[in-house]
Structures are given as C-alpha cells and as structure tokens.
Amino acid sequence: MLDSGGLMPLAVGAQVRITDGQLSVVDGPFVETKEVIGGYAIFELPGKEEAVASAVEFMQLHKDYMPGWEGTCEVRTFAGP
C-alpha cells in the first residue's frame, strides 16, 4: 500500500468542469443520498487481476466485520503520460 485516507463529505467538495469549451467550478453536493462515505487506498500492483483480488479481500473484511453494511469499492488505474 502506498497511501490511504478518507474523503470529506460531498457537501464540502467542488467539481471543476469543462462544458462547451467553458471552464466552471461547481460547489457540492453532487448526488442525492442520505449518506455517502468516501475514501481511497493506493496500491502498486502488477495488474488488474491482483487489484480486483485485493478489492474482493477488502470488501470481504467489511462483510465479515460489519454485517448489513452495503457499499462499493471501485478499482481504477492512474492515467499516466
């Protein structure tokens, strides 16, 4: 693991958008929901297969220790030059 942390609520965030060639900043929140908890973890892994396996292990821990909890873990790759 290279890094991890939590994310602040959507209400205190912002999006920077480009629409029709115009740049704009829009204050959050952006989705209608009762509760959104966000966080991130950055891993250096050989490929997608290992990343998905790590995500499955991570979610299994939530399932085992937090019965009834529902959520999503999204696996993403950094875009590079």
Side-chain angles (χ1 to χ4, degrees):
M1 181 183 291
L2 301 177
D3 192 19
S4 67
L7 300 174
M8 296 300 291
L10 295 172
V12 298
Q15 289 182 346
V16 179
R17 301 177 182 167
I18 298 176
T19 306
D20 295 326
Q22 298 295 313
L23 192 137
S24 63
V25 176
V26 180
D27 289 327
F30 306 110
V31 296
E32 293 185 29
T33 183
K34 289 182 179 180
E35 182 177 315
V36 174
I37 299 172
Y40 69 93
I42 300 172
F43 290 84
E44 186 173 349
L45 299 166
K48 182 178 177 181
E49 185 176 309
E50 293 85 0
V52 170
S54 292
V56 168
E57 183 179 352
F58 174 75
M59 294 301 277
Q60 185 64 50
L61 288 170
H62 282 74
K63 184 178 173 185
D64 293 345
Y65 293 102
M66 301 170 68
W69 180 84
E70 294 184 1
T72 302
C73 180
E74 186 173 338
V75 175
R76 305 279 303 262
T77 303
F78 280 105

